[in-house]
Amino acid sequence: MANALLLGYGLNQPSFRHRMQTLVDALEGAGWQVRCEQFPGGRYGLRTWERRELLRWADVAVLHQIKLSALEARLFAALCRHRVFDVDDAIYVRKPRHLGEPADDSIWRRKKFAATCRWADVVAAGNEVLAGVARGYAREVTIMPTSIDESCYRASTAGPELPPTIVWIGSPENLVYLEMIRPALARLSRRLQNLRLRVICSSFPDWPEVAIERVVWSSATEVDALASAHIGIMPLSDDAWTRGKCAFKLLQYMAAKLPCVASPVGANAEAVIDGVTGFHAHNIDEWESRLGALVESPQLRAQFGAAGLAHVQDRYAMSAYRSRYLGLLRRLAAG
């Protein structure tokens, strides 16, 4: 029997839930003892030393999105037999403060990312962009795309008789990306009087020129809110932060058989196959035309939706993610 320690800054954060907590049942089913523990920010070195008994207990510890200073990374490695650095965001930079600005970069942040990569046995990266950065420092890098259990979602039931509904799901800090396509949505709203934008979040835009349908996010209502929409969207700016993002909301849309329109930035370009599972949109005119084409064609929506679900099942299935991660942790524990 082996012991796995899954560490994160917040155990309720979406990325920890989707990448770490989804592994617990698979590990326990394979005979592992598993502990999910919160790791405090700051207090470099001391926070690791205070958890020395916990780290010695673990055969493998997974640091999810946790960067260590160079000295702390060496201490962590001395206390814990095997280590995985799990990353699904560009945490070597900071999200731009304002839309259109470059990502906030700093030597300190880059050095912590590099040190954590160097002292990990393996870096498990959520996409190729993150893997490419990690390869400059790590001894081994493997790509583990953030995946989804499509069986938890329900195929879209929104027919052509319902008002055309475009859906966006996400956290309040990412609402800024919707502002990018506000002009396109305004133009569409003038052409299609019954068009609505459904925002599933805890905060909402206030746009008088676009009909906003506000849906407060909850795990209990998320599936129905997606299944009763027609089209899913994921606009992004193009910078060092967004290029490292994983495209989880696109996977949610496709699991619900929704066609997607997305900015072809980072993992978005892999998740949405242009002209097959949805459309890429590079500018306001393309956002308007791509969304308009899907609103006006139920047949195209159905075609893209079916292809999107098949793509998720083939490339982003949770069962494959769990199997690969379990194989990685077994290999490290045995070594």
Side-chain angles (χ1 to χ4, degrees):
M1 182 181 294
N3 300 329
L5 175 62
L6 310 180
L7 295 171
Y9 283 132
L11 305 191
N12 290 321
Q13 289 180 343
S15 62
F16 190 88
R17 289 189 286 108
H18 295 314
R19 288 184 69 83
M20 295 291 99
Q21 289 183 339
T22 54
L23 299 174
V24 173
D25 287 346
L27 285 165
E28 291 179 341
W32 288 62
Q33 290 191 32
V34 185
R35 293 180 64 173
C36 295
E37 298 284 343
Q38 187 165 347
F39 201 69
R43 302 173 65 244
Y44 296 102
L46 184 59
R47 59 183 180 175
T48 290
W49 180 249
E50 290 172 344
R51 287 159 179 79
R52 58 192 178 277
E53 294 305 321
L54 182 62
L55 296 177
R56 288 169 178 150
W57 169 85
D59 292 292
V60 186
V62 182
L63 292 132
H64 174 68
Q65 305 278 67
I66 296 170
K67 302 188 300 293
L68 307 173
S69 67
L71 287 175
E72 185 176 32
R74 294 179 66 179
L75 174 62
F76 199 101
L79 294 171
C80 185
R81 286 183 285 281
H82 299 290
R83 300 150 311 283
V84 175
F85 182 26
D86 183 87
V87 57
D88 73 338
D89 272 318
I91 57 174
Y92 40 83
V93 294
R94 180 178 288 169
K95 182 180 178 179
R97 289 179 172 84
H98 303 286
L99 195 63
E101 292 183 353
D104 183 20
D105 210 337
S106 76
I107 294 174
W108 172 236
R109 194 175 294 113
R110 291 272 185 177
K111 283 186 173 181
K112 287 191 295 179
F113 183 84
T116 312
C117 289
R118 287 191 187 103
W119 288 94
D121 295 285
V122 180
V123 175
N127 57 54
E128 177 57 44
V129 171
L130 301 175
V133 176
R135 287 189 189 106
Y137 315 109
R139 68 187 80 173
E140 180 182 344
V141 178
T142 185
I143 298 177
M144 297 279 193
T146 300
S147 298
I148 193 166
D149 185 352
E150 78 280 1
S151 67
C152 295
Y153 292 80
R154 189 160 49 80
S156 175
T157 57
E161 73 283 357
L162 296 175
T165 301
I166 297 168
V167 66
W168 180 92
I169 185 171
S171 53
E173 61 268 22
N174 289 327
L175 282 168
V176 64
Y177 299 120
L178 275 179
E179 287 286 347
M180 294 173 49
I181 64 167
R182 182 175 177 177
L185 294 168
R187 290 182 204 169
L188 278 174
S189 296
R190 288 195 292 271
R191 284 171 42 199
L192 305 164
Q193 297 296 317
N194 59 346
L195 181 75
R196 63 186 64 185
L197 172 65
R198 177 175 297 164
V199 176
I200 306 172
C201 192
S202 59
S203 183
F204 305 93
D206 185 14
W207 300 347
E209 73 276 26
V210 178
I212 304 292
E213 183 179 325
R214 303 180 176 203
V215 177
V216 177
W217 180 89
S218 79
S219 57
T221 60
E222 176 184 65
V223 170
D224 288 339
L226 291 174
S228 54
H230 292 90
I231 304 162
I233 57 172
M234 188 173 176
L236 283 178
S237 58
D238 188 0
D239 55 61
W241 171 259
T242 56
R243 287 192 289 272
K245 287 179 69 66
C246 292
F248 188 74
K249 59 171 57 66
L250 292 176
L251 306 188
Q252 291 181 287
Y253 302 148
M254 289 189 285
K257 295 187 77 172
L258 296 179
C260 302
V261 182
S263 302
V265 176
N268 280 15
E270 300 173 15
V272 173
I273 304 172
D274 191 34
V276 177
T277 66
F279 289 125
H280 294 167
H282 298 82
N283 53 50
I284 294 299
D285 289 341
E286 288 190 1
W287 273 99
E288 181 184 4
S289 64
R290 304 300 193 258
L291 287 170
L294 287 171
V295 167
E296 293 164 5
S297 176
Q299 180 179 359
L300 189 59
R301 293 200 303 269
Q303 175 187 324
F304 283 180
L309 177 58
H311 183 48
V312 163
Q313 291 170 333
D314 179 61
R315 173 97 170 90
Y316 301 98
M318 182 60 71
S319 57
Y321 173 79
R322 287 172 175 152
S323 177
R324 289 190 60 215
Y325 227 119
L326 181 56
L328 169 62
L329 299 184
R330 275 177 172 158
R331 172 167 64 85
L332 292 176

